[in-house]
Amino acid sequence: MSAGYTFHWTSPLGPVTLAGEGDALTGLWFDGQKYFGEKLGPEGDLPVFRQAVQWLEVYFSGRDPGPVPPVRLRGTAFQMAVWEQLRAIPYGETTTYGAIARTVAAQRGLDSMSAQAVGSAVGRNPVSIIVPCHRVIGANGSLTGYAGGLDKKAALLALEGGTMN
C-alpha cells in the first residue's frame, strides 16, 4: 500500500480536503468540519483525486454523477455496516437514522438498535458527499446533524432535489 496523500479543492460550498492511498479515496471533508481527518499525508497527485474532482464537478452542477470513484473506508465493523447503508441511498433520496438502525439490526440478528448509535457512525463517515451521509434525516424529516454543518447538508439536499423539512 502506498503512502497517503492529500489534495485540496474548492467546492461551491467551500474548500474541501481529499485524502487517498494508491487507487482509492480514503477521505473527503469540508475544511474545518467535525471529525476532520487526522494525521493526513502530504499533498500529492493521485489519479483518484482527478476522478473525485470530476465526479464532484458533475455533482455540484446539479446532475447525478453516476458511479463513485474508488473508496477505501476504515472503521469499526459497526461503522462499516452503517457506511454501507449510506452508500445504498440513491441520489436525490433520503432515509432516516431509524431506518438504517432497523436494517443494520436485522443484518446482525438483533431486535433493535439505537438510532443515536447510527447517528454517531454516520457523523464519523470519512468520505463526505461521495458516501452520502447528508441523505440521512431525522424521523420527522428534520435536518439533524452533519459534521460539515447543517447549512451544507441543506444545500446538498437542495442540490439533489432531496427531501428537506
Side-chain angles (χ1 to χ4, degrees), residues 15-47:
V16 297
T17 297
L18 295 90
E21 289 180 349
D23 62 352
L25 202 62
T26 58
L28 190 164
W29 305 271
F30 285 102
D31 287 5
Q33 82 174 46
K34 190 174 183 181
Y35 307 121
F36 189 83
E38 296 178 11
K39 300 179 186 168
L40 295 175
E43 285 201 41
D45 185 23
L46 297 174

Side-chain angles (χ1 to χ4, degrees), residues 18 25 28 52 55-56 68-69 71 87 127-132 134:
L18 295 90
L25 202 62
L28 190 164
W55 189 95
L56 290 165
V68 300
V71 172
R87 295 176 82 169
V127 184
S128 295
I129 306 170
I130 290 175
V131 176
H134 62 279

Side-chain angles (χ1 to χ4, degrees), residues 84-125:
E84 277 306 308
Q85 294 305 307
L86 297 179
R87 295 176 82 169
I89 307 168
Y91 177 90
E93 295 184 24
T94 59
T95 191
T96 65
Y97 297 96
I100 292 174
R102 287 188 294 279
T103 299
V104 173
Q107 289 173 341
R108 293 176 161 226
L110 302 172
D111 291 334
S112 65
M113 177 173 288
S114 161
Q116 289 80 9
V118 166
S120 178
V122 168
R124 291 184 183 274
N125 165 31

